[in-house]
Amino acid sequence: MRTYNIKAVHMIRLEEGAEIISELKKACQEMKGGIIKGIGGLDRAKIAVFNPERGEYDVREVIGFHEIASLLGNLSIKKDGEKFLHLHVVLGSWRGVIAGHLIEGYVRGTAEIVIFELDKELNRTIEAGGLTLLDL
């Protein structure tokens, strides 16, 4: 376990057509770590679920409007210094619900996202079972 303080709280509203991952990477350029939450809507997305038997992700494309019931995750720094967004999403429509890692997502309507910027670097360097884990 490690303890972090919140350095700042950033509120972001994304416009229709924006790609969530790329926009968040831009918004987080100067941050060392963070906690991310959001709601809104997506028109299309790529969602991945980890397959522990194969040690890799299965990816599924989602087409058509879905509410973002929950967007939750973190921003960390990998061994090579790359910023890494680890985001889980729950998407819902009248057709059903799908959840997993958000790989790509295009906003429909709007997306309202909060980033709780941490005061220290959140590192992700531990390799285990096909995953890169947080150094906690």
Side-chain angles (χ1 to χ4, degrees), residues 60 66 69 89-99:
R60 181 174 174 189
H66 286 73
V89 68
V90 178
L91 300 176
S93 74
W94 292 120
R95 296 183 303 274
V97 175
I98 186 168

Side-chain angles (χ1 to χ4, degrees), residues 1-57:
M1 181 172 100
R2 292 203 176 150
T3 302
Y4 295 83
N5 291 310
I6 302 298
K7 177 178 175 182
V9 178
H10 306 274
M11 305 281 298
I12 301 168
R13 181 177 49 81
L14 298 179
E15 301 288 340
E16 185 153 339
E19 198 287 304
I20 289 181
I21 301 296
S22 60
E23 292 298 322
L24 285 177
K25 282 184 178 180
K26 286 185 221 170
C28 295
Q29 281 181 335
E30 302 302 318
M31 296 181 201
K32 299 175 185 177
I35 301 163
I36 300 167
K37 299 174 73 166
I39 56 173
L42 293 179
D43 193 41
R44 60 190 165 98
K46 287 185 182 173
I47 308 295
V49 175
F50 187 70
N51 183 323
E53 285 78 30
R54 291 197 329 267
E56 59 187 40
Y57 288 87

Side-chain angles (χ1 to χ4, degrees), residues 104-124:
E104 180 179 270
Y106 293 89
V107 174
R108 177 76 188 266
T110 191
E112 300 167 347
I113 300 171
V114 180
I115 304 170
F116 298 90
E117 182 180 358
L118 301 177
D119 64 332
K120 299 183 278 209
E121 203 166 271
L122 180 61
N123 293 303
R124 180 179 295 276

